[in-house]
Amino acid sequence: QKEVEQNSGPLSVPEGAIASLNCTYSDRGSQSFFWYRQYSGKSPELIMFIYSNGDKEDGRFTAQLNKASQYVSLLIRDSQPSDSATYLCAVNEGNDYKLSFGAGTTVTVRA
Amino acid sequence: DAMVIQNPRYQVTQFGKPVTLSCSQTLNHNVMYWYQQKSSQAPKLLFHYYDKDFNNEADTPDNFQSRRPNTSFCFLDIRSPGLGDAAMYLCATSRPPEETQYFGPGTRLLVL
């Protein structure tokens, strides 16, 4: 599996603030990028995916992709205590339907 | 609702005693995956099936085996669990050409 790097955190933000999560990947040929949220003791759940350079917004979440820099980020606006979780970045390796996951960034939203 | 189901949710086994974890899906997805996830680590892909075709990761120990008797079910067999095999085991599915993987709730395995 290819390398996917994330800041481990924890990232602590006050309620209502913006949480910014970063992810870098090693395989320049990667085409698809995913963000999953994982609550403690639970399984990952998909937040959003992005395929093209630029920004993609879904509610309070914005994914940003820069393939030239091999960088994908996730912004969480108006952070809520319920956003406290570990966020996993995942990158598709190519054409074999496998994802490489980062170890995740743990976010804590302070009320 | 269409979903991925894993049983049991918690499994306690003894060192060296074989254990089987199961996964079923009502999504009619072609691909089923098994991941191992230890605390604060990335999910580690063990193997996956594309329909009946089995794909093993190069670094998956021989102690781990899998069966997929039909589209809906997939099993993970751990032949002789060691203490280091204690982890969360995640089953996921996908339907190419879509690449999104959908996860079941996981089975937490404890080895005594």
Side-chain angles (χ1 to χ4, degrees), chain B residues 7-25:
Chain B
N7 285 303
R9 297 291 307 279
Y10 301 93
Q11 176 73 57
V12 181
T13 191
Q14 292 180 336
F15 182 94
K17 184 175 182 180
V19 66
T20 295
L21 310 182
S22 76
C23 177
S24 63
Q25 53 124 344

Side-chain angles (χ1 to χ4, degrees), chain A residues 21-103:
Chain A
L21 311 175
N22 303 320
C23 174
T24 59
Y25 58 95
S26 63
D27 184 4
R28 187 170 289 278
S30 299
Q31 296 295 322
S32 308
F33 307 86
F34 302 82
W35 284 99
Y36 285 83
R37 177 176 62 201
Q38 187 173 26
Y39 291 114
S40 180
K42 304 296 185 182
S43 64
E45 56 179 325
L46 181 72
I47 296 175
M48 61 192 307
F49 56 84
I50 186 167
Y51 299 146
S52 303
N53 278 328
D55 295 357
K56 179 181 179 183
E57 186 175 316
D58 185 356
R60 296 186 295 108
F61 298 96
T62 299
Q64 299 174 318
L65 175 60
N66 184 326
K67 290 185 180 179
S69 300
Q70 295 177 237
Y71 174 96
V72 57
S73 65
L74 180 71
L75 300 178
I76 307 173
R77 290 184 304 280
D78 188 24
S79 296
Q80 301 296 309
S82 59
D83 295 327
S84 297
T86 296
Y87 290 81
L88 300 171
C89 173
V91 177
N92 179 264
E93 295 187 359
N95 58 1
D96 59 359
Y97 314 114
K98 296 194 295 187
L99 295 179
S100 292
F101 284 85

